[in-house]
Amino acid sequence: MKLNKQDIYNALKTITAPGEGENMVDSGAVTNVVTFADEVIVDITIKNPSLQARKKTEVEILQTIHRKVYEKAKIKVNIKVDAPVAPAKNEIKGKAIPGIKNIVAVASGKGGVGKSTVTANLAVTLAKMGFNVGVLDADIYGPSMPIMFDVASERPLSVTIDGKSKMKPVENYGVKLLSIGFFTKPDQAVIWRGPMASKALNQMIFDAAWGELDFLLLDLPPGTGDIHLSIMQALPITGAVVVSTPQNVALADARKGVAMFEQESINVPVLGIIENMAYFTPEELPNNKYYIFGKEGAKHLAEDLEVPFLGEVPLVQSIREAGDVGRPAALQIDNAIENAFDEITRDVVQQVVDRNKDLPATEAIKITTMAGCSAVKK
């Protein structure tokens, strides 16, 4: 089928441009349309620089042309951001860690959704892809990374760099790791108030010899509490990934986690949502899927919040077993688990690339209402 340019323009007139009161065509957002046979290229300029606005614009254009013009049209959308210069904010720059290119926070509004398992498998998959990776276990009260990386009995060494004593992270599977679990006994509970926990976390961040890293993953504790605020005050976080199961109870808290990062005073880009325990597949029936916790709940939440959906991880016995023995399941070869984490990790990397291309560096927030944050270095 040969597409007509005017039909494309008419279809685009039904879409409102982000941040504009009129449609994409009349507002001047659509700068060019090129058609050739069943192919169409749409050039558009928007003023909203967020990843969510870009993704929503692209999806709306694709869906509208397919629905109103030709359902099999081959469409390419070129989006340019022409954002006005934002006024200066009363914020403090995050104290960057030398050598670390991207800091990605992995969060969940609720405990028990597999956030640490997802973090560990993202880390080893990034390492398999050739990236230099580190993991900071920021779950002060429930550190689990030493077990998941089979290094529970090891301790960070002290090294001298530029005349200063630094902690050398423990390393396994090509991933550098620091956790409060290295400094406590297995049966010892960490009973600290916010300022003390923040101070310990601050030392693991800035008094460590991380070296050159492409990605530092932060395994945050559940919820939206003092530790989260301390980290966002201390570090210029590149973006956040939220992990949830499909059930409504977990989704309600995941929604709050996304809202925390998107608050104007925090303003950390949400790279997307990962759905863990999406369905159960028994080993003897690999093609069967049982949706124990509900179906595609996190996917629908991502669509509702207009943030990217990064993929789903099945509920498979081998993932739990691999975590318990300290060898993340993503290290396995040629199976569904490896493929799932490969796809999710590629999406995370792509979101980081897009975010760095389209948005300025994140600034750490200035918090004046949380006394516990005073322990963080300025």
Side-chain angles (χ1 to χ4, degrees):
M1 176 180 176
K2 185 176 181 180
L3 299 177
N4 183 283
K5 184 184 295 188
Q6 189 57 47
D7 292 339
I8 303 297
Y9 276 111
N10 291 338
L12 296 177
K13 283 186 177 182
T14 65
I15 309 174
T16 302
E20 303 285 349
E22 51 188 346
N23 66 68
M24 289 183 172
V25 177
D26 293 340
S27 67
V30 176
T31 57
N32 192 29
V33 172
V34 178
T35 60
F36 179 76
D38 62 348
E39 300 179 13
V40 58
I41 300 174
V42 178
D43 294 332
I44 183 167
T45 301
I46 62 176
K47 296 180 179 179
N48 189 332
S50 70
L51 288 174
Q52 291 87 339
R54 289 172 55 87
K55 183 65 68 175
K56 180 181 179 182
T57 300
E58 181 179 8
V59 169
E60 285 187 338
I61 291 174
L62 295 175
Q63 291 179 342
T64 300
I65 294 177
H66 284 150
R67 186 175 64 251
K68 293 183 175 293
V69 183
Y70 181 44
E71 63 179 1
K72 296 183 180 180
K74 300 173 184 175
I75 308 165
K76 181 178 181 182
V77 181
N78 298 321
I79 300 178
K80 179 181 178 182
V81 177
D82 183 18
V85 178
K89 294 182 179 180
N90 185 24
E91 296 178 343
I92 49 177
K93 289 285 186 181
K95 186 177 179 181
I97 306 176
I100 297 181
K101 297 178 182 177
N102 299 288
I103 302 174
V104 177
V106 184
S108 68
K110 188 175 186 64
V113 299
K115 166 187 52 60
S116 295
T117 298
V118 169
T119 303
N121 283 281
L122 283 175
V124 297
T125 305
L126 285 167
K128 283 166 57 180
M129 291 177 175
F131 293 105
N132 295 321
V133 187
V135 172
L136 174 64
D137 189 355
D139 195 346
I140 295 292
Y141 304 108
S144 54
M145 286 299 165
I147 295 176
M148 290 188 173
F149 279 86
D150 193 24
V151 289
S153 61
E154 298 192 27
R155 297 293 180 267
L157 300 176
S158 176
V159 295
T160 301
I161 298 178
D162 297 330
K164 296 181 180 179
S165 180
K166 299 279 188 178
M167 286 182 287
K168 182 181 180 181
V170 174
E171 187 169 349
N172 201 12
Y173 309 126
V175 177
K176 296 179 180 180
L177 176 66
L178 275 181
S179 169
I180 197 67
F182 291 135
F183 307 100
T184 59
K185 297 178 181 179
D187 58 349
Q188 179 183 354
V190 179
I191 308 173
W192 291 345
R193 293 187 182 275
M196 192 170 181
S198 297
K199 184 176 181 179
L201 189 61
N202 188 61
Q203 286 183 311
M204 287 194 294
I205 293 173
F206 294 110
D207 294 340
W210 289 105
E212 297 291 328
L213 294 181
D214 297 303
F215 291 93
L216 175 64
L217 303 186
L218 306 179
D219 182 33
L220 297 179
T224 55
D226 196 26
I227 296 297
H228 305 74
L229 294 174
S230 296
I231 287 177
M232 287 182 285
Q233 185 188 26
L235 292 173
I237 298 176
T238 306
V241 171
V242 176
V243 179
S244 179
T245 55
Q247 66 191 105
N248 289 336
V249 172
L251 294 172
D253 291 330
R255 183 185 294 270
K256 296 174 185 176
V258 173
M260 173 186 69
F261 290 113
E262 290 185 337
Q263 284 188 33
E264 185 177 353
S265 60
I266 294 176
N267 196 29
V268 170
V270 177
L271 303 175
I273 296 177
I274 296 173
E275 182 173 276
N276 193 29
M277 308 182 207
Y279 53 84
F280 170 64
T281 297
E283 186 176 357
E284 63 274 14
L285 297 169
N287 296 323
N288 288 26
K289 295 182 180 181
Y290 302 95
Y291 296 92
I292 297 175
F293 299 114
K295 187 175 182 179
E296 298 183 341
K299 182 177 181 180
H300 295 319
L301 176 64
E303 293 171 352
D304 184 36
L305 297 178
E306 298 180 359
V307 300
F309 179 65
L310 299 172
E312 58 185 21
V313 181
L315 178 60
V316 179
Q317 183 174 334
S318 63
I319 297 181
R320 190 274 304 167
E321 292 174 339
D324 285 347
V325 300
R327 183 175 173 82
L331 291 171
Q332 300 170 12
I333 299 175
D334 294 331
N335 63 14
I337 302 305
E338 183 197 32
N339 294 336
F341 278 111
D342 279 354
E343 184 175 341
I344 290 171
T345 305
R346 282 195 297 268
D347 286 345
V348 170
V349 172
Q350 186 60 56
Q351 291 298 328
V352 170
V353 171
D354 292 344
R355 174 256 179 276
N356 289 339
K357 180 175 65 176
D358 299 330
L359 297 177
T362 305
E363 293 185 342
I365 59 175
K366 183 176 182 180
I367 304 169
T368 58
T369 58
M370 296 294 294
C373 296
S374 60
V376 179
K377 293 180 181 178
K378 301 297 191 293

